[in-house]
Amino acid sequence: MLALATLLSLLYAPTLTAGFSAPVAQRIFYLHFGAAITSYVAFSGTFVFSLLFLKNGKPANDTAAAACASLGLLFTTMVLFAGPLWGWAEWGVAWRFEDARLDTYLVLGLVFVGYLALRRQIAEGDARARTSATYAAAGYVLVPLSYFSIYLFQSLHPKVISPGGQGVGGQGALVMLVALAAFVLLFLALLGWRLDQAALDRRVAALQERADL
Amino acid sequence: MTEPSAPRGALLAAVSLVALLLSQGGAAAGFVTGVGASRVAHLADPANGVTVTVGVNETFDSYAANAFTFTLAGDSSTAARSYTVEVAISPDDPDTRASWNATATLEAGSSTRAVTVTVPAEAIKGTLSNTPFRFSLLGSNGTLIDSAEAAIDVRWRSPPADGGLLQLALATTAFWALVFLYALHLHSNERKLRARAEALERSLQGAQKDDPAEGPKR
């Protein structure tokens, strides 16, 4: 699916010349968009599983929250790599610190780096799960802030999905949807893999405990 | 022909300088107010009761045509007259000077008229801080009536010749490389965990064989 999205973005998506000085680099947008929305989905997963943990205290929710955060950072890294490459071609500069979307998204990524760092600093157990769940629930505020920043603040980040936005046309919208579906499916597949590993990790811990007795 | 004496020459030079300064002062009475996107250049033709304002954002933020809308306003003493408004880039550099203009006719009496001058995207090459711009009000015969200068930060650069092919290639490769590296990390981690689980199971089975008192595994 990701291969299909890549091919469509390179070969099928329209070349947008209006408003873009680097129409070839504009094709970065399709995968960039898919990865960005999927990162929001992943961090939303962290938020939901953290709230569930705080409500019912089940360790499985804590594990799922951490897995979602880790995957969210994978997609955030993609976005933070591809976005500046586009900026380099289109704006002549890779990063613009005066841009609210860029800054809030970077801070969002750093907040979830902090989440994983926090988990590494605290010994596994209920205290770690409770602290990191509270941290994730509070940090999640950056997801809507980042998404809506282009509408709330002055931003040079292209506005594609908005009434006055640039738009990408019918073909472009199809590629956007395929890219989004590809990244969401990739996220779900990797999440399943990570949760299987978490189960394996628990099994190893249990065997180790038995062996130590 | 006799050359002027030194004191007379100095006097002539001083008179010329004063005349030049006076003429410059009269022509450049325009001024700029505000900052950022609210910055406005003000021009005027006091002899005809006309004031002109034009919004001058401090930055050009994207590679796109930039439109400057001049608003001409007359008062009750204004006589009908045609004006030319002009936007000039690097006005004092003959090598790079470029200008665009538009003409508007203001009716007699109190009235306003808006006229737009568009600077095309390709007019400026490169990302330049403090690019000098001059906004001028000229009579219909081209005589300068008033002008104001305002520097603009141009924050784009000329587009890449390949349209950004290099960046597209790097970004696409990065997407795949990150997915591959993450999957590789998970795969490697899984192998380690499976190997550890098998080793522990073998060790536990061996311990059970060595210790018959423990009984069969449940």
Side-chain angles (χ1 to χ4, degrees):
Chain A
M1 190 80 176
L2 190 61
L4 175 67
T6 306
L7 285 174
L8 288 177
S9 72
L10 295 176
L11 305 172
Y12 178 73
T15 301
L16 300 178
T17 49
F20 293 104
S21 62
V24 178
Q26 188 276 331
R27 289 171 185 274
I28 292 172
F29 160 75
Y30 300 99
L31 296 186
H32 176 81
F33 164 80
I37 299 296
T38 308
S39 72
Y40 291 146
V41 170
F43 292 137
S44 299
T46 303
F47 177 67
V48 170
F49 285 118
S50 294
L51 290 184
L52 284 174
F53 175 81
L54 290 173
K55 192 182 171 198
N56 58 28
K58 286 184 181 169
N61 288 325
D62 175 56
T63 306
C68 285
S70 167
L71 288 165
L73 281 176
L74 168 69
F75 295 109
T76 304
T77 308
M78 291 177 185
V79 172
L80 290 177
F81 199 87
L85 281 169
W86 175 81
W88 174 25
E90 181 67 32
W91 293 333
V93 290
W95 196 270
R96 311 186 72 140
F97 283 100
E98 70 273 30
D99 191 296
R101 165 58 74 79
L102 274 60
D103 294 342
T104 51
Y105 193 78
L106 177 65
V107 173
L108 170 67
L110 292 175
V111 161
F112 280 90
V113 167
Y115 170 84
L116 294 182
L118 180 73
R119 291 180 67 86
R120 290 179 78 95
Q121 292 302 314
I122 305 173
E124 193 175 344
D126 190 64
R128 181 180 84 169
R130 205 154 285 280
T131 307
S132 52
T134 309
Y135 178 94
Y140 182 74
V141 72
L142 278 157
V143 170
L145 185 67
S146 166
Y147 182 79
F148 290 109
S149 60
I150 53 171
Y151 308 107
L152 295 172
F153 310 107
Q154 192 175 12
S155 175
L156 295 167
H157 189 280
K159 296 176 186 68
V160 179
I161 309 171
S162 70
Q166 278 110 321
V168 287
Q171 272 177 264
L174 176 68
V175 182
M176 276 173 74
L177 287 174
V178 171
L180 179 59
F183 277 101
V184 170
L185 287 175
L186 177 68
F187 162 66
L188 293 174
L190 292 174
L191 181 63
W193 196 357
R194 278 208 61 125
L195 292 177
D196 283 350
Q197 278 195 15
L200 186 59
D201 203 20
R202 281 196 300 276
R203 190 173 137 221
V204 168
L207 288 169
Q208 185 69 58
E209 208 171 302
R210 275 178 61 197
D212 290 344
L213 285 174
Chain B
M1 192 176 161
T2 55
E3 288 184 12
S5 63
R8 227 180 120 193
L11 185 65
L12 276 172
V15 168
S16 304
L17 182 63
V18 169
L20 182 68
L21 287 172
L22 284 174
S23 68
Q24 288 287 319
F31 58 96
V32 175
T33 58
V35 293
S38 306
R39 194 167 63 161
V40 175
H42 301 262
L43 308 170
D45 179 12
N48 195 28
V50 175
T51 57
V52 181
T53 55
V54 53
V56 185
N57 197 335
E58 283 192 13
T59 58
F60 278 2
D61 285 321
S62 62
Y63 188 79
N66 286 273
F68 294 95
T69 302
F70 290 75
T71 304
L72 292 80
D75 63 19
S76 54
S77 66
T78 299
R81 191 174 167 185
S82 285
Y83 290 96
T84 297
V85 288
E86 183 187 74
V87 177
I89 300 176
S90 304
D92 299 321
D93 184 344
D95 293 332
T96 56
R97 188 184 196 281
S99 65
W100 296 265
N101 61 48
T103 302
T105 301
L106 200 59
E107 292 169 12
S110 283
S111 67
T112 58
R113 179 80 199 271
V115 57
T116 299
V117 176
T118 301
V119 176
E122 63 275 14
I124 301 173
K125 305 291 182 193
T127 302
L128 304 166
S129 295
N130 295 317
T131 305
F133 275 68
R134 182 179 290 159
F135 302 87
S136 305
L137 177 68
L138 300 100
S140 54
N141 58 359
T143 53
L144 179 66
I145 297 170
D146 198 2
S147 69
E149 292 191 1
I152 295 178
D153 282 347
V154 180
R155 293 184 183 172
W156 78 73
R157 59 164 201 166
S158 52
D162 59 4
L165 184 64
L166 171 67
Q167 289 85 350
L168 176 64
L170 287 173
T172 307
T173 307
F175 278 113
W176 280 92
L178 285 165
V179 172
F180 177 76
L181 287 173
Y182 196 86
L184 192 69
H185 161 70
L186 287 182
H187 178 68
S188 154
N189 202 33
E190 187 171 301
R191 277 185 64 183
K192 279 182 201 162
L193 283 170
R194 286 199 189 285
R196 181 94 186 114
E198 280 167 21
L200 283 167
E201 275 170 353
R202 272 199 304 272
S203 141
L204 283 168
Q205 280 166 3
Q208 278 175 350
K209 278 179 192 166
D210 293 345
D211 183 8
E214 198 174 278
K217 189 181 171 188
R218 270 182 283 176

